[in-house]
Amino acid sequence: MRFLRAVFSAVVATLPVLVILLVPALVRGDVDGGSAAGVGSTLLNAAFIAAVILVPKVNGWLDPEVPDWTSSTAMAATGRVWRGRIWLALLAVLALLGIFAAGQTAAYFLGVSAPAMAGGELDYSRFLAQELVVYLLGYVLSLTTYVLMMRVLARRAE
């Protein structure tokens, strides 16, 4: 159950990322009608960094463990982990980045086998499939892993 609540926390924290991913002009440079891919990639990175920072708070709200992990104490507990156990916190971020890269790679291979641009036209169903793979395997699964690791590290830090 804790895993499912962590997944839901990651989904809630990354909803702005999903909104950006669903707009082809923000994430693709080869879309007709003018592309804002530079702005989109900046917004995407900012939304993901904000999600990484806020996911413990969202998880504390959705899956509280009184008094150590609630919406009001999860950020402080994460801060204690970063101050007291920096190397383990960096390993949690490394796991996040590894899973994120695996999601990006899976979406790349999906894009190679079924390109979103076919005959100069964007096939939105193929585009959507690629972006959902990136979102679910890259963003959501990586944040789920990160928040679960932070919970364990916060519990052991005390």
Side-chain angles (χ1 to χ4, degrees):
M1 248 355 231
R2 176 143 292 153
F3 176 76
L4 292 177
R5 288 185 291 242
V7 168
F8 190 59
S9 301
V11 167
V12 169
T14 58
L15 281 177
V17 169
L18 180 61
V19 169
I20 296 167
L21 285 175
L22 294 179
V23 179
L26 291 176
V27 293
R28 295 190 59 96
D30 56 356
V31 175
D32 292 335
S35 177
V39 172
S41 63
T42 303
L43 288 173
L44 196 60
N45 290 333
F48 185 54
I49 290 170
V52 170
I53 293 168
L54 293 176
V55 75
K57 186 170 187 68
V58 173
N59 186 256
W61 174 60
L62 294 172
D63 188 17
E65 189 175 316
V66 179
D68 299 330
W69 194 267
T70 63
S71 181
S72 59
T73 61
M75 296 292 283
T78 303
R80 282 193 300 276
V81 168
W82 275 99
R83 285 188 302 275
R85 307 178 88 188
I86 184 89
W87 294 109
L88 293 175
L90 287 173
L91 285 176
V93 170
L94 189 61
L96 176 142
L97 292 174
I99 294 169
F100 180 76
Q104 294 281 342
T105 303
Y108 167 77
F109 285 124
L110 180 62
V112 167
S113 65
M117 293 297 286
E121 293 288 320
L122 177 72
D123 183 355
Y124 194 78
S125 62
R126 290 180 177 182
F127 169 78
L128 182 63
Q130 292 172 14
E131 297 306 314
L132 287 179
V133 166
V134 166
Y135 178 70
L136 293 174
L137 293 181
Y139 292 99
V140 172
L141 190 58
S142 66
L143 276 179
T144 300
T145 304
Y146 174 76
V147 76
L148 288 174
M149 291 177 81
M150 280 295 138
R151 279 187 83 125
V152 169
L153 290 173
R155 189 177 320 130
R156 299 231 171 114
E158 296 176 6

